Amino acid sequence: MKATFMYAAGDVRVESVPDPEIFFPTDAIVRTTRSCICGSDLHPYHSLPGTPDGISMGHELIGVVEEIGAEVRTVKKGDFVIVPFAFSDNICVFCREGFHTACVHGGWYGTAAAAGLQAEYGRVPLADGSLVVVPGVDPATADESLLASLLTLSDVYLTGYHGAHMGEVAPGKTVTVVGDGAVGLGAVLASRQLGAERIILMGRHKARTDLGVEFGATDVVAARGEEGVAEVMDLTNGEGSHVVIEAVGHMPAYEQSFGIVRPGGIISRVGVPQYESAPIGFGSLFGKNARLAGGPAPVRAYLEAAVQQVLDGVIDPGRVFDRTVSFDDVALGYAAMDERSALKVMLTP
Amino acid sequence: MKATFMYAAGDVRVESVPDPEIFFPTDAIVRTTRSCICGSDLHPYHSLPGTPDGISMGHELIGVVEEIGAEVRTVKKGDFVIVPFAFSDNICVFCREGFHTACVHGGWYGTAAAAGLQAEYGRVPLADGSLVVVPGVDPATADESLLASLLTLSDVYLTGYHGAHMGEVAPGKTVTVVGDGAVGLGAVLASRQLGAERIILMGRHKARTDLGVEFGATDVVAARGEEGVAEVMDLTNGEGSHVVIEAVGHMPAYEQSFGIVRPGGIISRVGVPQYESAPIGFGSLFGKNARLAGGPAPVRAYLEAAVQQVLDGVIDPGRVFDRTVSFDDVALGYAAMDERSALKVMLTP
């Protein structure tokens, strides 16, 4: 099958590798309907040192179950499924508490435990715990827009949703989303679903913030840094935002976040932090009782409800995809996202 | 009247100053029944550079209203009241959201806005918003133990309570309290009130941790650092603590906190951080979706309910006081707390 590997910063290749096989009796093999490229894939695309054996890429996938291990009970061959970006048993103590990305038996794709999912087939460990069946949809005949929205439930939309959920977005609240990437736009849509009264989107790419407005943003702030903070404070009557969803991961976005969070408010981070230490003392968080939340999204916790919302046409998060390439052209997809000529790139077999 | 000033690290003096007067029509003058020394007063006691004019000390007080300004409506001369450690109008947007320490019109004692409260009288700004009357108690005849417990509602117990509240302590949760000072012990008592299933107290002073056990701690861990983290992880079946209340404020206590917090758990800080930047990236908070909360306690938000609990004998937080001195001996009180020969020192006129 075709699978995607990165050998160094900027060097992404599709190669032919053996099809995956059942390894553990709890595995399933899924034939890819659609996969995609994640904003987080751009971090190694910028910084990966030369790696002779390459690293296996991708963690988002929807597809059809091709084969199951002897112990798999909840999915069967032919089921159309969503593969969450982290696998989990869905029964351990942390999964039961809703934090599947901390599953005692779980793990990540593109590691020794499981190959990456930018490939024609994926081996999914802990299939019973991980996979969620999409009922009544035949991917061979489904609308492209439906497939796109279902694909976002593998990671990007539900990562934005996690930001809103951990930020405790609720009716009456003012939410500011820092970052107009696909996760940030998902956070806007999720905040609207959770009833936010006002949604301020901080971003500078008009095509993206325009989609943000369609997703529910009530205000767009293009300025950054101190100027951006001042604009958001003005928009909130000098009070600041109840919830700030930080969907970038770089320090300036975090600094903006504690500049605009309201006393007692919550900064919810879903951009993977590209820093370890950051201000949290009296002058940043403590003095105003600002809270900090967020982390890798336990999308499995939110999947059933979100699948139903997509099937019911309540949400259309697939609109973040603005380019589709075949696996043969995956390098072009990475380049397009890196140049920001594409917001999010879908991959087809 | 007698009032307390600090002139340099280790140099605390009682001096005779003019009695305070009504300055704003919203002020009240309160005659001190009891005041006390706070753990946070030890920070300048360790580090204050020579200050020729001295700084006015103290922010905890219970007493009797002696005089009110023309606009004061909710308290009257003769009322026995609790003075929260920060004054607030109790009606601004942040007060209404429960964060009185961010009151738009509020402020702190020992500043240009209001003198310190380790004194025979205090001028309380925004008296209607700040003061809470204790019904049916005559401080001249009340039990010492009742006065002690009421005095803790000015700051120390309700600061511990704030830690538990922001940590979302609830039935079934495991709580670890880092620090066996008076705030930490208050956090133990508050966690018991909020129904915590298990309360682990990290502290090395046996007399204090013994009181912690009487307040509800189910386990005591004397070890610190990596060893302390390992012990708490063992006690929690390797899972970590749902809630960690950090009642110290120094970096090692914060590092212990993120070492023992469970995935998805909350670190709630009520020790004033003596650092600004600290680890919050993938390796500390983000990777396990750990949350961070806390700040200066809005004790005004919790006062009415806590006063009733004290009057009903449900809680006895005044047991943290283990020494009483007169204002003339306030320097001895500071020295005793600094040497740790006293846990918390009460001041009498």
Side-chain angles (χ1 to χ4, degrees), chain B:
Chain B
M1 70 165 184
K2 293 170 183 167
T4 305
F5 295 85
M6 191 181 292
Y7 286 87
D11 183 2
V12 174
R13 309 178 204 164
V14 167
E15 303 195 334
S16 195
V17 300
D19 289 356
E21 296 177 359
I22 297 289
F23 190 80
F24 294 109
T26 48
D27 289 347
I29 305 298
V30 177
R31 178 167 40 84
T32 300
T33 300
R34 296 288 182 275
S35 180
C36 56
I37 303 172
C38 183
S40 69
D41 294 331
L42 296 181
H43 293 310
Y45 192 77
H46 293 146
S47 63
L48 184 71
T51 305
D53 294 337
I55 58 172
S56 172
M57 298 299 299
H59 51 260
E60 294 160 282
L61 192 152
I62 56 174
V64 176
V65 175
E66 188 78 12
E67 190 185 350
I68 58 172
E71 292 177 14
V72 174
R73 294 288 173 270
T74 60
V75 296
K76 60 183 187 304
K77 181 169 170 157
D79 280 346
F80 179 42
V81 294
I82 296 173
V83 183
F85 75 85
F87 54 87
S88 56
D89 65 15
N90 203 28
I91 53 174
C92 81
V93 61
F94 301 131
C95 285
R96 281 183 277 124
E97 292 177 3
F99 293 96
H100 294 68
T101 44
C103 175
V104 172
H105 302 109
W108 316 89
Y109 295 96
T111 66
L117 297 180
Q118 288 165 1
E120 290 182 303
Y121 293 88
R123 182 179 67 84
V124 176
L126 302 174
D128 279 334
S130 302
L131 294 173
V132 171
V133 176
V134 181
V137 173
D138 176 356
T141 59
D143 274 0
E144 270 308 316
S145 64
L146 176 62
L147 294 179
S149 284
L150 291 170
L151 179 56
T152 67
L153 307 188
S154 179
D155 181 348
V156 61
Y157 171 64
L158 289 181
T159 289
Y161 181 89
H162 181 59
H165 174 75
M166 297 305 291
E168 301 178 16
V169 173
K173 300 259 182 105
T174 294
V175 179
T176 301
V177 176
V178 180
D180 58 8
V183 169
L185 298 179
V188 168
L189 181 57
S191 295
R192 188 188 68 183
Q193 290 305 312
L194 293 171
E197 180 172 308
R198 188 170 195 182
I199 303 171
I200 302 168
L201 174 59
M202 301 189 82
R204 304 195 297 176
H205 306 87
K206 186 155 187 319
R208 300 177 181 195
T209 57
D210 283 351
L211 180 54
V213 169
E214 293 184 49
F215 276 172
T218 54
D219 303 84
V220 172
V221 170
R224 293 180 171 189
E226 284 180 26
E227 198 187 333
V229 168
E231 271 192 49
V232 173
M233 293 306 286
D234 276 353
L235 285 171
T236 57
N237 196 26
E239 294 167 6
S241 201
H242 294 100
V243 185
V244 181
I245 303 175
E246 196 281 82
V248 179
H250 291 294
M251 183 66 92
Y254 174 70
E255 289 169 339
Q256 255 170 242
S257 299
F258 69 70
I260 62 181
V261 70
R262 180 191 195 82
I266 302 180
I267 298 169
S268 182
R269 294 181 298 167
V270 283
V272 180
Q274 303 301 303
Y275 51 83
E276 186 58 41
S277 281
I280 61 169
F282 204 97
S284 46
L285 300 186
F286 189 87
K288 57 182 175 181
N289 268 288
R291 287 172 277 174
L292 187 61
V299 304
R300 181 63 187 82
Y302 313 129
L303 253 176
E304 283 92 343
V307 166
Q308 200 55 54
Q309 282 195 306
V310 167
L311 294 178
D312 292 346
V314 175
I315 54 173
D316 52 358
R319 296 177 68 196
V320 296
F321 289 106
D322 56 355
R323 185 84 53 93
T324 301
V325 301
S326 69
F327 280 123
D328 289 329
D329 288 331
V330 66
L332 297 178
Y334 272 79
M337 278 182 62
D338 181 46
E339 296 158 11
R340 294 178 178 272
S341 69
L343 171 55
K344 189 155 176 86
V345 174
M346 187 183 293
L347 302 173
T348 59

Side-chain angles (χ1 to χ4, degrees), chain A residues 171-314:
Chain A
K173 299 259 183 101
T174 294
V175 179
T176 301
V177 175
V178 180
D180 60 6
V183 170
L185 298 179
V188 168
L189 180 58
S191 294
R192 189 187 67 184
Q193 289 304 310
L194 293 171
E197 180 172 309
R198 189 171 194 182
I199 304 170
I200 302 168
L201 174 58
M202 301 188 82
R204 304 195 299 175
H205 306 87
K206 187 157 187 315
R208 298 177 182 195
T209 57
D210 283 351
L211 179 55
V213 170
E214 292 184 49
F215 275 172
T218 54
D219 303 85
V220 172
V221 170
R224 294 179 172 189
E226 284 179 28
E227 197 187 333
V229 168
E231 270 192 49
V232 173
M233 292 307 285
D234 277 352
L235 284 171
T236 57
N237 196 26
E239 295 168 4
S241 200
H242 294 99
V243 185
V244 181
I245 304 175
E246 197 281 83
V248 179
H250 291 294
M251 183 65 91
Y254 174 69
E255 289 169 339
Q256 255 170 244
S257 299
F258 68 71
I260 60 180
V261 70
R262 180 190 196 83
I266 302 179
I267 299 169
S268 183
R269 294 180 298 168
V270 284
V272 180
Q274 303 301 303
Y275 51 82
E276 187 58 40
S277 281
I280 61 169
F282 204 97
S284 45
L285 299 186
F286 189 87
K288 57 181 176 181
N289 268 288
R291 288 172 277 173
L292 186 61
V299 304
R300 181 63 188 82
Y302 313 129
L303 253 176
E304 284 92 341
V307 166
Q308 199 55 53
Q309 283 196 307
V310 166
L311 294 178
D312 292 346
V314 174

